[in-house]
Amino acid sequence: MARNKYDVDEVLEDKFDVNQLKRLLAYLIPYRKRFVSVGFMMLSASAFTMLIPQFFQKVMDVCIPNKDMKGIAFYSFLTLLAAFYSAFSLRYKIKYTNQIGQQIIHDMRYDIFEHLQELPFSYYDDRPHGKIQVRVVNYVNSISDLLSNGILNTITDLCNLVFIIVFMLILNVRLTLVCLCGLPILAIVIVVIKKKQRTAWQVQSNKQSNLNAYIAESINGIRVTQSFVREDVNSGIFNNLSGSYRKSWMRAVMFNFTMGPSIDIISIITTAAIYVLGVSWMINGETGITVGVLVAFTAYIGRFWAPINTLAGFYNSLLTAISYLERIFETIDEPVVVKDREDAVEMPPIHGDVAFDHVTFSYEPGVPILKDVSFHANQGQSFAVVGPTGAGKTTLVNLLSRFYNVDSGRILIDGIDIAGVTIRSLRKQMGVMMQDSFIFSGTIMDNIRYGNFSATDEEVIRAAKTVCAHDFIMEMENGYQTQVNERGSRLSAGQRQLISFARALLADPKILILDEATSSIDTETEIILQKGLNELLKGRTSFIIAHRLSTIKNSSCIMYVDKGTILEKGTHDELMAQKGEYYKLYMSQYASLM
């Protein structure tokens, strides 16, 4: 999928083919035994109820003329027995098909979510998150009925149709042929609307995706919206997107609703023809046509068109589902470009020696962000990375965590190329605190423990004390058990960063990455936190990205990065003595204080 936003329709990169239907059926395989048992129940019930018109014929042509009350009672009992068995089978089907359908939906949704966990940052950089979410929730829900009832109903109805045609042929061949004359007309209707119907549902899925993307964006940015009094403008945008969704939905269902009336019209015409011809042949004394035969045959006519109507409904559901399946399987098939190589090995315990060896990287071909970057950090050293916005600072540390693959060059940890080790074994030994201090819904204790579930409460509290988060946590109503909202909306920006800092510390990493770790902390807290930082950085190799230069003065090495290259490198005193770019940056921040 190309770079996208809420007002741009998505373009399918892979068109739908029959193999995707096979993939869908593959989700049924684990539940095939239950499907077979339900199918057997439905088919046996269907075969039993198919005999009811035969009972009617016997009653009309034999029992009533011969005044055989026992025969009437016998056939009535068999009819009642067939009805009870059919009701029992239907109840069995409803119970278990819904269970199976929901389990399949769970399996499919799990596959999508699991795959999303593995996709690289670049996938999320190019897409509104609402358009990703709609695939996991709405699109999967939309095919729930198809999986739970549609497939099984189709199989049983096809068998029912065969049973019905056989019984109809046994009763009268000519009347059966008259009934079948309606099928070519129905086939023409299906062919005419098929392409338009599928296209309409593809458009509808696009409009639904756009609407969902804008809703998600609006909720995430509600504070900015209200601050700039954008409510009316946003409501107008929403109204346009919702209106487009409504129009696309109405057009799509228009084609769906074409099928039902078409079948009804064809069935009425063929039924009328059978009545006219049947009565005419009976009056003219045609052999094989009796009142009982005509009554039984008209009963079969209703049964004949009922499964066809169901099959048409399945066809509609299938075309609807195809537009969603295309998006679902497109997501599942999205390549994981940052993944373990086939010969990847576990990363040994890290000591902390890091080297960039002629590393070049670009997000888009031909637009390099880092150009031939090389440096070496010894175990336990703290490397600070500074420079203007967009210089490539965050990209540099993201490559160290293998969130992206390098275009060329190597990144070595303890002399081992990280491209040849498993991602999990690498990241488990690294601690990362990014610019976006994301807080999950749950307790403060759970958020700090997020990177180390085995940590005890005492270890969590010790980490919080180290980064000066303990005091404000204890002032909250339930201390560490205080519930915080998604994205930490109850907390200040500084509090969120301190909790994220404690989270990174608790993971006890050998390599620590701090991306603007103190950007939202006031100067007074920063002074206190610096003491904890000194303890945190002991024995660890650390990379600190900072705009506030007071936090990095004591770093082992400071690298000034701009336009994808390292322009200057050295200690604070060395760089100040050079009076180069770092000197200018430092003086611009502190000139007013000197």
Side-chain angles (χ1 to χ4, degrees):
M1 195 196 321
R3 184 164 293 170
N4 198 268
K5 55 181 183 175
Y6 68 81
D7 58 349
V8 176
D9 290 343
E10 297 172 287
V11 177
L12 278 173
E13 296 178 356
D14 296 315
K15 298 299 182 182
F16 184 84
D17 59 59
V18 71
N19 290 325
Q20 293 190 5
L21 279 180
K22 293 179 181 178
R23 291 177 64 179
L24 178 63
L25 292 175
Y27 282 94
L28 299 175
I29 292 177
Y31 312 101
R32 57 187 179 276
K33 291 183 179 179
R34 181 66 71 182
F35 253 94
V36 170
S37 67
V38 175
F40 174 78
M41 291 283 291
M42 295 305 298
L43 289 176
S44 59
S46 175
F48 202 1
T49 55
M50 289 300 163
L51 295 172
I52 293 177
Q54 299 283 340
F55 301 157
F56 289 166
Q57 181 196 355
K58 296 293 184 182
V59 170
M60 297 291 293
D61 290 345
V62 179
C63 298
I64 292 178
N66 295 327
K67 299 180 180 180
D68 184 5
M69 295 303 298
K70 289 184 178 180
I72 294 174
F74 175 71
Y75 288 118
S76 298
F77 172 75
L78 290 180
T79 301
L80 185 63
L81 186 64
F84 274 121
Y85 184 71
S86 178
F88 172 78
S89 301
L90 182 61
R91 183 178 182 278
Y92 184 87
K93 187 200 92 167
I94 293 173
K95 177 181 178 181
Y96 288 105
T97 53
N98 279 295
Q99 287 181 1
I100 295 169
Q102 288 306 308
Q103 186 60 49
I104 293 171
I105 291 300
H106 167 78
D107 295 342
M108 183 175 289
R109 184 176 287 122
Y110 178 82
D111 286 348
I112 300 173
F113 185 79
E114 184 180 41
H115 190 67
L116 288 173
Q117 300 295 295
E118 299 176 350
L119 291 176
F121 285 1
S122 57
Y123 177 81
Y124 300 94
D125 292 341
D126 293 341
R127 295 154 175 82
H129 293 175
K131 291 194 177 186
I132 300 173
Q133 180 182 352
V134 75
R135 299 181 181 214
V136 183
V137 182
N138 302 58
Y139 289 176
V140 175
N141 285 343
S142 297
I143 63 173
S144 173
D145 187 63
L146 175 70
L147 292 173
S148 60
N149 290 305
I151 295 176
L152 185 63
N153 285 346
T154 299
I155 295 172
T156 54
D157 283 338
L158 281 172
C159 295
N160 288 344
L161 199 56
V162 173
F163 291 158
I164 293 168
I165 293 175
V166 169
F167 279 107
M168 290 170 68
L169 287 170
I170 292 173
L171 277 175
N172 192 279
V173 175
R174 285 188 297 174
L175 291 176
T176 303
L177 293 176
V178 172
C179 184
L180 294 178
C181 286
L183 293 182
I185 301 173
L186 179 61
I188 292 172
V189 173
I190 292 174
V191 171
V192 169
I193 69 172
K194 174 185 175 182
K195 186 175 181 180
K196 293 182 178 179
Q197 189 175 7
R198 183 189 169 199
T199 301
W201 281 111
Q202 287 177 331
V203 172
Q204 185 272 336
S205 70
N206 277 337
K207 302 306 179 185
Q208 181 183 11
S209 179
N210 292 345
L211 181 62
N212 199 78
Y214 188 70
I215 292 172
E217 180 180 295
S218 298
I219 292 173
N220 289 332
I222 191 63
R223 286 172 174 77
V224 178
T225 296
Q226 293 183 357
S227 297
F228 287 90
V229 198
R230 279 264 307 189
E231 293 90 343
D232 292 341
V233 176
N234 288 7
S235 295
I237 296 173
F238 176 85
N239 186 55
N240 291 334
L241 292 172
S242 183
S244 297
Y245 171 69
R246 178 181 59 82
K247 290 178 182 177
S248 65
W249 171 267
M250 294 302 295
R251 177 172 171 78
V253 298
M254 177 189 70
F255 290 111
N256 277 19
F257 291 155
T258 300
M259 193 72 71
S262 299
I263 293 174
D264 290 340
I265 292 172
I266 295 171
S267 66
I268 291 171
I269 292 174
T270 54
T271 302
I274 287 171
Y275 272 121
V276 171
L277 293 174
V279 172
S280 174
W281 292 337
M282 188 171 57
I283 292 173
N284 292 330
E286 296 281 346
T287 57
I289 302 292
T290 64
V291 173
V293 169
L294 196 57
V295 169
F297 201 90
T298 53
Y300 279 127
I301 292 174
R303 294 170 182 268
F304 174 79
W305 288 105
I308 290 179
N309 212 352
T310 304
L311 290 172
F314 173 77
Y315 176 77
N316 282 335
S317 299
L318 184 61
L319 285 181
T320 304
I322 282 174
S323 65
Y324 299 129
L325 285 173
E326 289 169 327
R327 303 297 186 187
I328 291 170
F329 287 135
E330 182 189 52
T331 303
I332 294 176
D333 293 339
E334 184 70 28
V336 181
V337 295
V338 181
K339 61 181 179 180
D340 296 337
R341 297 191 323 207
E342 291 184 3
D343 60 346
V345 297
E346 293 289 308
M347 184 71 187
I350 291 176
H351 299 295
D353 191 84
V354 176
F356 274 55
D357 182 18
H358 300 287
V359 171
T360 297
F361 172 78
S362 58
Y363 293 106
E364 299 177 7
V367 186
I369 303 299
L370 295 179
K371 306 170 187 176
D372 196 32
V373 172
S374 296
F375 67 86
H376 182 268
N378 293 318
Q379 176 183 349
Q381 285 188 318
S382 58
F383 264 56
V385 186
V386 300
T389 302
K393 302 184 298 296
T394 298
T395 299
L396 189 145
V397 294
N398 280 340
L399 292 177
L400 181 58
S401 300
R402 273 203 72 192
F403 292 132
Y404 302 91
N405 289 325
V406 299
D407 295 344
S408 62
R410 298 184 303 164
I411 300 176
L412 307 173
I413 295 181
D414 299 337
I416 300 173
D417 188 346
I418 64 172
V421 302
T422 62
I423 294 174
R424 182 178 292 272
S425 66
L426 172 68
R427 293 177 184 167
K428 283 181 69 174
Q429 301 186 67
M430 301 178 69
V432 182
M433 182 179 169
M434 301 179 182
Q435 286 174 294
D436 182 14
S437 303
F438 196 93
I439 301 297
F440 297 89
S441 58
T443 66
I444 293 177
M445 180 75 74
D446 291 338
N447 269 279
I448 296 176
R449 192 182 275 133
Y450 191 83
N452 184 3
F453 287 116
S454 62
T456 65
D457 290 355
E458 290 74 18
E459 289 171 332
V460 172
I461 294 171
R462 189 181 308 121
K465 286 181 177 179
T466 302
V467 300
C468 307
H470 178 75
D471 290 343
F472 88 80
I473 292 174
M474 294 306 298
E475 291 175 358
M476 302 188 77
E477 63 267 26
N478 295 313
Y480 285 86
Q481 298 305 318
T482 300
Q483 292 284 335
V484 291
N485 301 329
E486 181 183 359
R487 303 191 70 89
S489 58
R490 294 186 58 192
L491 303 170
S492 69
Q495 289 173 333
R496 291 198 298 270
Q497 283 197 311
L498 289 174
I499 289 175
S500 297
F501 215 30
R503 178 194 297 163
L505 171 61
L506 189 63
D508 192 24
K510 297 302 180 182
I511 297 177
L512 184 64
I513 297 172
L514 305 177
D515 189 350
E516 295 294 337
T518 60
S519 61
S520 299
I521 298 174
D522 59 76
T523 304
E524 183 179 352
T525 304
E526 180 190 338
I527 295 173
I528 301 173
L529 178 60
Q530 194 66 46
K531 299 177 183 178
L533 269 175
N534 293 334
E535 292 297 321
L536 172 61
L537 299 180
K538 282 184 179 178
R540 294 183 173 90
T541 305
S542 58
F543 292 86
I544 306 170
I545 298 175
H547 283 110
R548 193 182 295 178
L549 301 184
S550 59
T551 61
I552 60 164
K553 288 176 62 176
N554 298 325
S555 297
S556 306
C557 180
I558 300 173
M559 296 187 297
Y560 186 93
V561 178
D562 191 15
K563 297 179 181 179
T565 60
I566 300 174
L567 299 183
E568 297 175 2
K569 183 171 65 172
T571 65
H572 172 76
D573 292 337
E574 290 172 347
L575 295 180
M576 290 296 290
Q578 291 179 19
K579 294 190 176 182
E581 297 298 326
Y582 177 80
Y583 174 82
K584 294 176 185 177
L585 180 64
Y586 186 87
M587 295 304 293
S588 67
Q589 286 192 12
Y590 295 98
S592 60
L593 303 177
M594 298 178 67

